[in-house]
Amino acid sequence: LWNGALATKDPKKVAARYSKEGVLLPTVSDTPRTDYPGIVDYFTNFLKLEPQGEIESGNIIIGTNWAQDAGIYEFTMGATGAKVKGRYTFVYVFEDGEWKISQHHSSVMPEGTNPKAITEEEVKNLFQLWNS
């Protein structure tokens, strides 16, 4: 449902997937979003990238009127073609007859986010990898 809401490119439809007291700790913002206007604000900008997510792996726990899904997902940004892999946690609650997102944490994978320094000599030696 959430990924489908992203596809509408409507930040209000995405924010409507969150519970009344939903919390969003987003991927590309340092600001926690703890209310509907804040969640709309985040997705107003994020949806400009035309994101579509795909879950690569997840761990699901189910309780009475709540569920949790935590794992790894990857977004493809339709506007640029860029791919962003991240960790996620969704906690869902059954609210007013619907499943809603109570808590959503997303962060970019830490591995590979910082470029590794390379010397000019190392670059010259890379040719040998191809030439071997």
Side-chain angles (χ1 to χ4, degrees):
L1 295 174
W2 182 76
N3 206 35
L6 291 180
T8 70
K9 300 179 189 172
D10 182 342
K12 291 181 180 177
K13 287 187 179 175
V14 178
R17 300 302 320 147
Y18 289 78
S19 68
K20 293 172 188 165
E21 295 184 17
V23 174
L24 168 63
L25 301 174
T27 311
V28 293
S29 172
D30 292 338
T31 306
R33 310 306 170 116
T34 59
D35 58 20
Y36 179 81
I39 294 170
V40 169
D41 177 65
Y42 175 76
F43 284 108
T44 296
N45 292 313
F46 186 63
L47 291 175
K48 291 175 185 173
L49 298 172
E50 300 175 13
Q52 276 298 288
E54 183 175 329
I55 291 176
E56 293 188 356
S57 64
N59 182 318
I60 296 172
I61 301 171
I62 299 171
T64 303
N65 292 326
W66 67 271
Q68 174 183 294
D69 183 5
I72 307 297
Y73 55 18
E74 183 174 75
F75 282 99
T76 300
M77 305 303 176
T80 65
K83 292 187 180 286
V84 178
K85 189 176 285 195
R87 299 176 287 193
Y88 72 86
T89 302
F90 286 100
V91 176
Y92 300 97
V93 294
F94 197 68
E95 180 179 277
D96 299 330
E98 299 186 272
W99 286 101
K100 299 282 188 163
I101 301 165
S102 173
Q103 296 180 36
H104 176 193
H105 173 262
S106 181
S107 59
V108 175
M109 296 294 281
E111 297 85 7
T113 56
N114 295 324
K116 183 181 177 202
I118 189 167
T119 66
E120 191 171 315
E121 189 63 32
E122 289 171 317
V123 172
K124 289 177 184 176
N125 289 334
L126 290 175
F127 179 75
Q128 294 307 319
L129 293 174
W130 174 77
N131 200 32
S132 301

